[in-house]
Amino acid sequence: MRIIVVGSGYVGLVTGACFAESGVNVTCIDIDINKIQQLKNGSIPIYEPGLEDLVKSNIEKKRLTFSTELADGIKDAEVIFIAVGTPPGEDGSADMKHVLNVARDIGRIMTRHLVVVTKSTVPVGTSGKIRTTIQAELDKRGEPITFDMASNPEFLKEGAAIDDFLKPERIVIGIDNDKTREVMSRLYMPFVLNNHPILFMDIPSAEITKYAANAMLATRISFINEIANLCELLGADINNVRKGIGSDSRIGSKFIYPGTGYGGSCFPKDVKALLNTASDNGYELKVIKAVEEANDYQKTVIFNKMNKFFNYNLKDKLIGIWGLSFKPKTDDIREASSIVMIESLLKAGARIKGYDPAAINEMKKLIGDKIEYSRDQYEALVDVDALVLMTEWSEFHLPEFNRMVELMKGKVIFDGRNIYDPTQLRQMGFTYFGIGR
Ligand code: NAD
């Protein structure tokens, strides 16, 4: 079987590499010439554990190729995945320009029947728009070629993307005929041998399932953050409360860790897009709207604690930041809470030394030398007035506290992820601030 994946970012590259691993011949396409050149050389433009090895071995086995030209490979392909970005437009709705550009390109050059699969997260109705766009190009060419549409939203988590793709809990596929069902079943067969289900459904349901999943997860995060903030006012400890509610199997323990607010390339934009879809259809999603408001507030909580601690005078204070990525095991900083923290600190006149195991280059691309970057976590502590932990990378969990006491001028820790033991730190002479404890 031969397939094409258009868009070779976090989702497209993982999709391409994992299908290649299952024996399929895959061509990954991207308009970014540098990215494709880098990939052809077997080097990975993003940080994702396990991906480099998978890409390299499948290049060697000649099952995975890269190109900037969609025409390369399209004549023999059975399935084409669209996995380009769908960033928020100015009004918060998902911007479909990249997706529709790809649809136009497909219509212009396809030479045989294709199943066109949307893997990008797209609002309900997008498959219909893609279909119309491709058909319009075929009509211009006077070509009687047929094609089918499918919607196959992706649920992988950055940092665990390979495992999530190879062993998915479920695969959601929206289709509108049995022929497409047969093609997609064949393609995904190796990934469901462990009885993970493929959930076939109609296309609009598949499209909204992705948004509903992300909105649900974002809701859990905002919910626990609100309870944490309340715990703090009441003298309770959110860690106890979290365990207390998480052991109820109706609730479960995942996604109820308080922190500095959700970020990343998905939750913020998908929550916004879902709100937009609802309002376009004359409906207000009251819960989801509150989730977003609560999250915006949460991104300010640790900064406000710090500001108060320094008597609302952060001018010339030197602050060390551990963790810049929006979560551990990724270099992705899109909508990361660290960005809001950095902006607030700089506005207040503070100076910053930042360290992250993977995301420093991405942060440099975004804000350049507005902050100082450290080579390791301890260098980021030299002479600082306080440390703020923004991302819970594993190497931050058990640092050498004695060394930290020596390096830091001010022994103050703002723990944005509640990973430290407040009692232990206070005994060592630190002033400790967490969230909801
Ligand atoms: P990304 O920004 O990492 O990658 C998108 C890629 O598409 C870029 O490399 C870009 O150059 C390329 N591109 C844009 N226009 C193109 C065109 N016309 N032809 C070829 N390539 C083109 O984005 P991503 O994080 O991989 O996300 C892609 C989609 O998947 C989004 O809709 C996102 O919401 C969804 N998604 C992302 C994740 C995640 O964790 N990142 C998880 C599930 C779903």
Side-chain angles (χ1 to χ4, degrees):
M1 196 174 197
R2 184 173 286 280
I3 68 166
I4 294 185
V5 180
V6 188
S8 306
Y10 287 88
V11 167
L13 192 53
V14 171
T15 302
C18 289
F19 276 128
E21 183 67 11
S22 74
V24 172
N25 284 302
V26 183
T27 307
C28 281
I29 308 287
D30 206 287
I31 43 171
D32 184 333
I33 298 169
N34 292 336
K35 192 178 269 192
I36 290 298
Q37 200 46 54
Q38 210 179 328
L39 285 165
K40 278 182 175 171
N41 297 333
S43 112
I44 306 297
I46 53 172
Y47 175 89
E48 181 60 49
L51 186 56
E52 186 151 343
D53 287 347
L54 204 63
V55 167
K56 273 189 181 148
S57 79
N58 281 288
I59 291 176
E60 274 164 26
K61 288 171 188 150
K62 303 203 182 325
R63 288 195 298 251
L64 183 59
T65 52
F66 296 95
S67 176
T68 51
E69 296 301 323
L70 187 54
D72 288 347
I74 202 168
K75 65 178 188 311
D76 303 318
E78 241 180 288
V79 179
I80 183 161
F81 282 89
I82 302 178
V84 296
T86 47
E90 273 172 24
D91 61 354
S93 64
D95 185 347
M96 287 299 109
K97 77 170 174 270
H98 301 302
V99 169
L100 294 177
N101 282 344
V102 177
R104 258 186 298 278
D105 289 347
I106 294 172
R108 277 178 200 145
I109 59 173
M110 66 192 281
T111 52
R112 52 162 286 175
H113 180 275
L114 278 174
V115 176
V116 180
V117 187
T118 319
K119 197 164 248 322
S120 302
T121 303
V122 293
V124 173
T126 302
S127 289
K129 286 184 187 160
I130 295 173
R131 189 195 300 272
T132 312
T133 307
I134 295 176
Q135 192 57 57
E137 292 299 327
L138 287 172
D139 291 346
K140 275 190 214 161
R141 289 165 59 196
E143 284 282 1
I145 306 169
T146 57
F147 62 96
D148 289 296
M149 292 299 309
S151 163
N152 172 216
E154 181 51 57
F155 297 96
L156 63 77
K157 301 182 289 296
E158 286 175 20
I162 305 290
D163 234 33
D164 286 347
F165 199 96
L166 295 176
K167 289 177 261 169
E169 286 183 322
R170 82 316 201 173
I171 295 158
V172 169
I173 305 182
I175 45 162
D176 58 9
N177 63 53
D178 287 342
K179 204 170 69 195
T180 310
R181 184 192 190 104
E182 183 279 314
V183 174
M184 295 304 284
S185 299
R186 193 155 34 95
L187 185 57
Y188 270 111
M189 191 265 292
F191 306 94
V192 293
L193 292 173
N194 295 347
N195 292 329
H196 300 297
I198 300 184
L199 305 173
F200 283 105
M201 56 183 78
D202 59 281
I203 291 177
S205 299
E207 288 174 332
I208 201 166
T209 295
K210 173 67 189 174
Y211 284 101
N214 277 355
M216 177 75 212
L217 295 171
T219 302
R220 285 174 72 92
I221 295 174
S222 278
F223 173 84
I224 203 69
N225 282 335
E226 288 219 299
I227 299 293
N229 297 340
L230 183 62
C231 279
E232 209 165 291
L233 294 173
L234 301 175
D237 184 339
I238 188 63
N239 251 356
N240 295 331
V241 177
R242 176 176 63 72
K243 288 176 200 153
I245 62 172
S247 48
D248 183 331
S249 62
R250 293 170 303 174
I251 296 173
S253 58
K254 292 185 178 162
F255 273 81
I256 51 168
Y257 287 80
T260 54
Y262 60 76
S265 65
C266 292
F267 289 2
K269 93 171 162 59
D270 293 350
V271 163
K272 261 194 180 45
L274 190 60
L275 285 168
N276 217 277
T277 299
S279 78
D280 282 353
N281 287 277
Y283 188 67
E284 190 190 6
L285 293 168
K286 295 185 186 66
V287 173
I288 313 292
K289 199 167 164 219
V291 164
E292 190 181 48
E293 274 170 29
N295 195 58
D296 289 343
Y297 172 76
Q298 198 65 23
K299 289 192 173 182
T300 67
V301 164
I302 284 279
F303 173 77
N304 291 341
K305 286 181 193 221
M306 204 186 296
N307 207 9
K308 191 170 167 203
F309 177 80
F310 287 108
N311 292 321
Y312 302 95
N313 183 8
L314 280 159
K315 191 154 173 32
D316 295 328
K317 291 279 178 291
L318 182 59
I319 308 295
I321 297 185
W322 279 3
L324 302 171
S325 56
F326 85 94
K327 66 172 182 179
K329 294 194 198 164
T330 180
D331 60 352
D332 200 341
I333 59 160
R334 289 178 279 187
E335 302 276 341
S337 302
S338 65
I339 298 172
V340 178
M341 173 60 77
I342 288 171
E343 280 168 357
S344 308
L345 284 171
L346 291 178
K347 204 166 155 213
R351 293 176 302 126
I352 300 169
K353 287 213 259 193
Y355 171 71
D356 187 283
I360 286 181
N361 280 342
E362 291 304 305
M363 193 54 89
K364 275 186 188 164
K365 282 187 215 159
L366 185 75
I367 62 165
D369 57 5
K370 285 188 186 162
I371 69 170
E372 211 181 292
Y373 301 94
S374 304
R375 277 166 301 184
D376 67 53
Q377 67 195 88
Y378 296 105
E379 193 181 285
L381 298 182
V382 177
D383 290 334
V384 296
D385 293 286
L387 163 68
V388 53
L389 176 108
M390 295 300 294
T391 320
E392 69 281 27
W393 282 89
S394 41
E395 67 190 75
F396 299 148
H397 279 259
L398 282 177
E400 296 170 51
F401 289 115
N402 288 332
R403 195 167 160 200
M404 291 169 68
V405 171
E406 281 167 24
L407 293 173
M408 294 169 70
K409 192 168 85 188
K411 290 147 201 23
V412 192
I413 295 182
F414 294 89
D415 177 2
R417 302 287 170 174
N418 281 357
I419 63 172
Y420 299 126
D421 176 353
T423 314
Q424 185 203 355
L425 288 196
R426 283 176 189 138
Q427 277 166 359
M428 296 188 75
F430 287 102
T431 305
Y432 174 88
F433 294 90
I435 292 190
R437 8 183 23 190

